[in-house]
Amino acid sequence: MKTRDAVTLLSALASEARLDAWRLLLQSGPAGMIHGDLAAALGMPKPTLSFHLRDLRVAGLVESRKEGRTVVYTANAMAAEALAAFLVETCCGNRPDLCLGPRTPETVMTLAPDKVYNVLFLCTGNSARSIMAECILQREGQGRFRTFSAGSTPRGTVAPEVLALLARNNYPTGHLRSKSWDEFARDGAPEMDFVFTVCDDAAGEVCPVWPGQPMTAHWGVPDPVAFVADAKQRALVFADVYRMLANRISIFCALPLRSLDKLSLQRRLDDIGRMDQTEDKAANVGSA
């Protein structure tokens, strides 16, 4: 990358709003985000976001595509990689090794074998999916993880179908409650190592975006609370969502965490999130 091109990209990112939008689009990957969801996630008026997206598109940092009548925005990953490479190659007197430091075991290894890692599951209402995920990982992790759950707009109560399902599977439920993710953003709250969103962006939900530096991934599953049917059918839907989450969490627990560097682990986490319902059912058959 030439210096003038890097200046163009850096100038476009020299705004907190544009940088936040670009980072969020980078995190969303190839799937991208529609205008309304992006504005809601950023807490930004749509006309203001349009202004910033225009600047990012002119700079080549953001691309758009049409899906029917909807415009989907994605970050230009190649531009991001080129800019990162330019900065690394030209920093520290053209000695990137001085900036990156030696690849010691401490920097290569992502997890220490003797640490209990904090994991937060987020969804919109914190009444079903994130609650189930919290319980599943707490059991499946066998003491390796300390689990929590919260919602961006909590419903305030745990769905009775969830409590019944968990009780049938011998999970303790007395401590469970629907709560805001604000509890975990306050001073003194446990520092998170992993944050997983389990809301279903395919259904148009706006998923929470967690600040800070934990490893994150999106493991979206449908919201069973939103399913309208009789009690028997609803119970089946809750059971399906439970199995989807259990499959993802089982794969997560089986990862060779001690031998994965941070980049490799992030790829594995993203791959788990890309499991679709067909793969979930196939996994159920294979584990039966």
Side-chain angles (χ1 to χ4, degrees):
M1 172 178 287
K2 296 180 179 179
T3 300
R4 64 171 178 271
D5 296 325
V7 169
T8 298
L9 299 185
L10 291 171
S11 297
L13 294 173
S15 155
E16 183 176 351
R18 288 195 293 274
L19 182 59
D20 286 345
W22 189 59
R23 289 177 59 191
L24 192 53
L25 289 175
L26 279 172
Q27 293 171 10
S28 69
M33 298 183 71
I34 63 175
H35 189 276
D37 287 353
L38 184 57
L42 294 169
M44 186 183 301
K46 292 181 180 180
T48 302
L49 176 61
S50 296
F51 174 81
H52 291 306
L53 286 174
R54 182 198 64 188
D55 288 350
L56 291 170
R57 290 178 64 188
V58 170
L61 289 165
V62 166
E63 300 172 340
S64 63
R65 67 178 186 272
K66 278 195 173 183
E67 293 184 357
R69 296 183 178 180
T70 302
V71 178
V72 178
Y73 293 92
T74 58
N76 184 338
M78 292 183 64
E81 292 175 1
L83 179 59
F86 172 85
L87 294 173
V88 170
E89 290 172 1
T90 58
C91 73
C92 301
N94 205 28
R95 287 288 307 279
D97 56 302
L98 297 179
C99 298
L100 298 176
R103 288 177 61 82
T104 63
E106 289 75 19
T107 58
V108 174
M109 302 298 286
T110 302
L111 301 181
D114 57 347
K115 179 181 177 181
V116 176
Y117 284 80
N118 291 331
V119 181
L120 175 63
F121 290 97
L122 294 177
C123 66
T124 309
N126 190 219
S127 64
R129 295 162 292 182
S130 53
I131 294 283
M132 288 190 282
E134 173 188 358
C135 293
I136 294 168
L137 180 57
Q138 189 64 49
R139 175 186 288 180
E140 294 296 321
Q142 299 181 352
R144 297 157 58 204
F145 303 101
R146 185 179 174 209
T147 62
F148 307 88
S149 68
S152 55
T153 53
R155 288 190 172 94
T157 58
V158 180
E161 294 93 341
V162 169
L163 294 175
L165 185 154
L166 293 173
R168 288 196 302 271
N169 287 276
N170 299 315
Y171 287 96
T173 60
H175 65 291
L176 299 175
R177 60 189 178 91
S178 176
K179 54 200 171 294
S180 172
W181 64 339
D182 291 341
E183 290 190 18
F184 300 96
R186 297 171 184 164
D187 291 340
E191 183 177 343
M192 295 300 154
D193 299 292
F194 296 92
V195 176
F196 300 130
T197 52
V198 293
C199 49
D200 185 11
D201 55 3
E205 287 187 89
V206 178
C207 301
V209 178
W210 189 255
Q213 299 301 320
M215 300 202 70
T216 62
H218 177 60
W219 295 353
V221 295
D223 182 6
V225 175
F227 184 74
V228 179
D230 59 36
K232 184 177 180 179
Q233 288 179 311
R234 278 177 63 86
L236 291 174
V237 171
F238 276 85
D240 281 342
V241 171
Y242 172 89
R243 285 192 291 269
M244 293 177 197
L245 291 169
N247 288 335
R248 287 162 167 76
I249 291 169
S250 176
I251 294 172
F252 172 60
C253 290
L255 291 175
L257 297 177
R258 299 183 190 180
S259 62
L260 292 174
D261 59 44
K262 191 170 183 179
L263 179 59
S264 298
L265 178 55
Q266 185 64 61
R267 289 172 178 166
R268 298 288 190 93
L269 298 179
D270 292 339
D271 287 343
I272 292 172
R274 283 190 281 267
M275 290 178 61
D276 61 23
Q277 295 184 30
T278 301
E279 291 172 307
D280 286 321
K281 293 176 181 177
N284 288 333
V285 173
S287 61

